[in-house]
Amino acid sequence: MRILVTGASGLLGLNLALSAAGQAGGSHLVFGTVKDHALQTSAFTVMQTDLIEPGAVERLLDQTQPDWVIHCAALANVDTCEADPEGARQLNSELPAKLARHVARGGARLVHISTDAVFDGQRGKYSETDLPNPLGVYARTKLEGERLVAEANPEAIIARVNLFGWSLRGTRSLGEFFFYNLSAGKGVRGFTDVFFCPLLANDIAPILLHMLELRLSGLYHVLSRECASKYEFGVRIARRFGLDESLITPSSVAEAGLKAARSPNLTLRTDKLAAALGTPPPDLSTGIDGFYRLYQQGYPQKIRGFEIRE
Ligand SMILES: NC(=O)c1ccc[n+]([C@@H]2O[C@H](COP(=O)([O-])OP(=O)(O)OC[C@H]3O[C@@H](n4cnc5c(N)ncnc54)[C@H](OP(=O)(O)O)[C@@H]3O)[C@@H](O)[C@H]2O)c1
């Protein structure tokens, strides 16, 4: 298959592009887009483009002729979204809609990546039929992106994710936050009142490719089947890596003075995904074991070496 991954310098996109290139005995041809980061890797073809520019989406699809498109590019920083609501709207709502329209016209299949944060987190255990209630600009623009994609391309898969993993600069995921701070002997806070169900980024590719093979469409929660507080997640990372878990102070999100509102209970149900795939998504221990294994294999250094710095 010819697979186009947008946002291939991001936490999800990079790991997804690398994993997809390694699946099916390496027979997939993978293209990955970047905007500001300059990447060099032999694993996939890097395409540099600002997808907001007029004509960029059309040009990209024309050049790559994909069978499958996995759209990860986004404005994913919640504080940046609050500061730049128009930029967030363009990237998180307008761009997915445009891509969905053009992909439908060309006959390829689309996975659009969305977020667990469309829910306000007051209740938890949300399923795909529960009504979202986004709290901030990021979540609102992502929910609008979901709506516009479904309207423009009903065949598309819309995958609500949450994830951790190794990123290009080591700063994009909570797993890295705990690992690097604890490794340096630094104390950090871990929220005991914020819950999530993250998958290891590298475990998301096989799931999405399987969903594409099965020709699924519509909304799915693509998350770990097990959820935890951010504090518990940090402790489990510490234990797996043999780091000092007492450096993590249990605390409340209310004490942190964060600018953008965070949804406290983002436990989402994955029954629909499990039923469609015939197997449940991985639990947290499997994800954290994979995160540790990648570390032992030198994966963080390997991906860091992909970036060309001026
Ligand atoms: N990270 C999480 O925990 C999390 C949780 C829930 C959902 N999600 C969703 O998962 C997806 C991926 O998130 P992520 O954390 O991997 O994002 P990320 O690390 O912030 O990466 C964003 C990507 O989008 C690209 N991009 C931004 N503006 C662009 C533009 N104008 N044209 C082309 N590319 C552009 C960036 O390229 P450059 O780096 O080259 O500028 C980068 O590759 C998003 O849809 C996000 O909403 C993420």
Side-chain angles (χ1 to χ4, degrees):
M1 288 290 171
R2 297 171 71 88
I3 305 176
L4 171 62
V5 178
T6 67
S9 43
L11 172 64
L12 178 57
L14 177 61
N15 290 300
L16 200 65
L18 291 172
S19 307
Q23 306 260 307
S27 62
H28 294 309
L29 191 55
V30 179
F31 301 87
T33 75
V34 297
K35 179 181 159 251
D36 294 325
H37 283 91
L39 280 193
Q40 197 168 44
T41 168
S42 55
F44 59 88
T45 305
V46 178
M47 318 279 295
Q48 190 127 23
T49 175
D50 181 349
L51 290 167
I52 291 300
E53 291 287 311
V57 166
E58 295 88 324
R59 233 178 356 259
L60 181 66
L61 293 173
D62 199 43
Q63 283 167 350
T64 55
Q65 298 286 319
D67 301 298
W68 293 342
V69 179
I70 306 179
H71 180 49
C72 305
L75 198 56
N77 181 305
V78 290
D79 293 325
T80 311
C81 288
E82 291 296 324
D84 180 13
E86 176 52 22
R89 194 188 61 77
Q90 280 185 9
L91 261 166
N92 295 341
S93 309
E94 257 183 30
L95 172 62
K98 185 174 188 186
L99 191 64
R101 254 192 329 272
H102 285 284
V103 168
R105 249 179 243 156
R109 297 186 61 77
L110 172 70
V111 178
H112 170 61
I113 302 295
S114 189
T115 174
D116 55 354
V118 294
F119 293 109
D120 59 19
Q122 293 306 309
R123 195 198 82 194
K125 300 214 164 101
Y126 298 105
S127 73
E128 286 82 349
T129 52
D130 285 318
L131 215 56
N133 182 30
L135 292 186
V137 173
Y138 168 69
R140 262 200 308 278
T141 54
K142 290 294 290 185
L143 181 62
E144 180 64 359
E146 286 186 2
R147 192 185 67 74
L148 293 172
V149 166
E151 194 178 276
N153 188 341
E155 298 296 303
I157 295 168
I158 298 170
R160 288 182 181 149
V161 304
N162 196 307
L163 60 140
F164 67 103
W166 300 105
S167 65
L168 215 48
R169 293 184 181 171
T171 54
R172 282 293 300 142
S173 84
L174 193 65
E176 294 173 307
F177 169 80
F178 283 117
F179 169 74
Y180 285 116
N181 278 300
L182 301 184
S183 298
K186 286 192 192 150
V188 291
R189 283 192 289 201
F191 301 140
T192 51
D193 50 4
V194 178
F195 297 85
F196 69 153
C197 332
L199 277 175
L200 179 66
N202 308 65
D203 288 340
I204 295 182
I207 295 176
L208 296 182
L209 297 193
H210 193 190
M211 293 171 81
L212 283 160
E213 275 158 13
L214 293 172
R215 303 187 71 81
L216 301 182
S217 60
L219 184 60
Y220 284 87
H221 292 170
V222 179
L223 292 149
S224 171
R225 67 169 186 262
E226 188 191 358
C227 308
S229 72
K230 298 210 167 177
Y231 170 74
E232 185 192 339
F233 177 75
V235 168
R236 286 171 72 170
I237 294 273
R239 287 186 187 156
R240 192 68 193 85
F241 283 81
L243 296 166
D244 181 1
E245 67 187 72
S246 72
L247 287 168
I248 310 173
T249 306
S251 74
S252 166
V253 66
E255 295 161 18
L258 298 174
K259 266 187 259 159
R262 305 303 204 268
S263 306
N265 187 349
L266 288 179
T267 53
L268 271 61
R269 304 182 70 97
T270 53
D271 318 40
K272 184 179 175 189
L273 179 69
L277 299 184
T279 175
D283 60 14
L284 269 183
S285 301
T286 306
I288 292 172
D289 281 350
F291 188 56
Y292 181 64
R293 215 169 28 252
L294 289 169
Y295 169 72
Q296 285 183 311
Q297 292 164 356
Y299 185 83
Q301 289 80 2
K302 183 180 117 177
I303 60 173
R304 219 165 261 203
F306 291 168
E307 191 173 12
I308 308 161
R309 289 175 194 247
E310 307 274 295

